[in-house]
Amino acid sequence: MRFGLSLAPQHRVYAGFAIYSFAMGNIFPRLPDIKRAMEIEDGTLGLSLIGTPIGTLTALTLAAPVLERVGFRRALLGLVPLIALAYAIAVHAPGPLALFLMLLPVGLMIGSVEIILNVEADRTEFLLGRRIMNRAHSFWSMGFFGAGLFGGALAHLGLSPQLHLAVVVPMVGLSMMLFLGGYEPAPARQTGTGEPRPCSRGRHCRSWSSSR
C-alpha cells in the first residue's frame, strides 16, 4: 500500500535522512535536564549513553542479512518512528543503568536505519547516474540541526524531556507517512554488464562499476 506525496527517488532519500536524524537528535538538547533529574555526574551520564553506540555497532555488523529478509521498505517505515518512540520511553529511565539498557535497542535501530539509508543512497546514485550521497548527508545535518532548535525551544518553554520526546513521536510518524509512504527500494546495482541503465527521466545513464 502506497500513500503520501509523489516524490522522485532522490528526494525520498533526502527526506529519509532528514526525518531519521530529527528522530534521533531531539534527546541531545535535553541531556542536561536528564542529568539533573537523575542527580548524576557528567561521567555517569556519558557511560549511560554508551548503550546507543554499542547497539549501533552491533547492528552495523550483523543486521544487513536480517534487513534484506524483512525488506527495506517495511524496515525503514517501521524503524524510524520506533527510534523516536524508544527515545521517548528511554527518558523515563529512573537511573543511569536503566537508561543504558533502554538505549541499547535504540542503537540497534539506528544502525539498521543507517544501513538502509546509505545502501539506498548508493543504489539511487547508480539508478540516476549521478552522485547524491553528499547531499543526502547534508539533509541528515539539517534534520539534526532542526532537532537541536526544536528541542532547545521546548526546553526554553519549560516542557519536560518526557513530554517533548512524546510530541516528537507523532511528528516523525506523520512525516514518514507523508514523505516516505510511497518509498520503493531502488534495485540493486548491476555489476559490469556494460549495458546502460535507463534514468528516471527516460534518458540512459552511464554504467558505473560496483567497485567504485
Side-chain angles (χ1 to χ4, degrees):
M1 181 179 179
R2 303 295 183 264
F3 41 82
L5 297 176
S6 177
L7 300 176
Q10 69 272 24
H11 295 156
R12 294 201 192 282
V13 172
Y14 301 153
F17 273 93
I19 298 168
Y20 151 62
S21 63
F22 183 84
M24 66 172 288
N26 270 274
I27 193 172
F28 293 100
R30 309 316 304 263
L31 291 179
D33 299 303
I34 294 170
K35 174 191 164 187
R36 283 193 296 270
M38 292 185 180
E39 298 180 346
I40 56 177
E41 299 297 325
D42 291 341
T44 305
L45 177 63
L47 290 173
S48 301
L49 298 176
I50 289 176
T52 302
I54 289 175
T56 301
L57 289 172
T58 302
L60 289 173
T61 305
L62 303 174
V66 177
L67 295 171
E68 290 285 356
R69 286 196 296 270
V70 172
F72 277 10
R73 172 181 164 80
R74 184 182 303 172
L76 184 64
L77 293 180
L79 286 174
V80 175
L82 280 176
I83 289 172
L85 178 61
Y87 269 129
I89 294 171
V91 293
H92 290 272
L97 178 58
L99 181 61
F100 171 83
L101 294 174
M102 295 168 82
L103 289 178
L104 281 172
V106 176
L108 291 171
M109 290 185 280
I110 286 174
S112 298
V113 171
E114 287 280 353
I115 292 172
I116 295 170
L117 287 176
N118 282 283
V119 169
E120 190 64 23
D122 179 72
R123 291 177 176 178
T124 303
E125 281 188 339
F126 181 72
L127 181 69
L128 299 175
R130 59 187 173 85
R131 298 186 184 276
I132 67 166
M133 187 69 76
N134 289 343
R135 183 172 294 180
H137 284 91
S138 73
F139 273 86
W140 186 97
S141 298
M142 286 188 281
F144 204 81
F145 180 71
L149 287 179
F150 184 69
L154 294 192
H156 181 72
L157 292 174
L159 268 71
S160 69
Q162 291 77 18
L163 180 56
H164 164 199
L165 292 177
V167 169
V168 171
V169 177
M171 291 176 62
V172 169
L174 290 173
S175 298
M176 289 296 292
M177 290 177 62
L178 183 62
F179 294 101
L180 277 297
Y183 161 63
E184 189 66 36
R189 281 175 170 268
Q190 295 177 350
T191 55
T193 62
E195 293 296 325
R197 187 182 192 90
C199 289
S200 59
R201 295 181 181 177
R203 300 190 303 270
H204 282 89
C205 305
R206 56 178 176 162
S207 179
W208 289 2
S209 168
S210 62
S211 62
R212 76 169 176 84

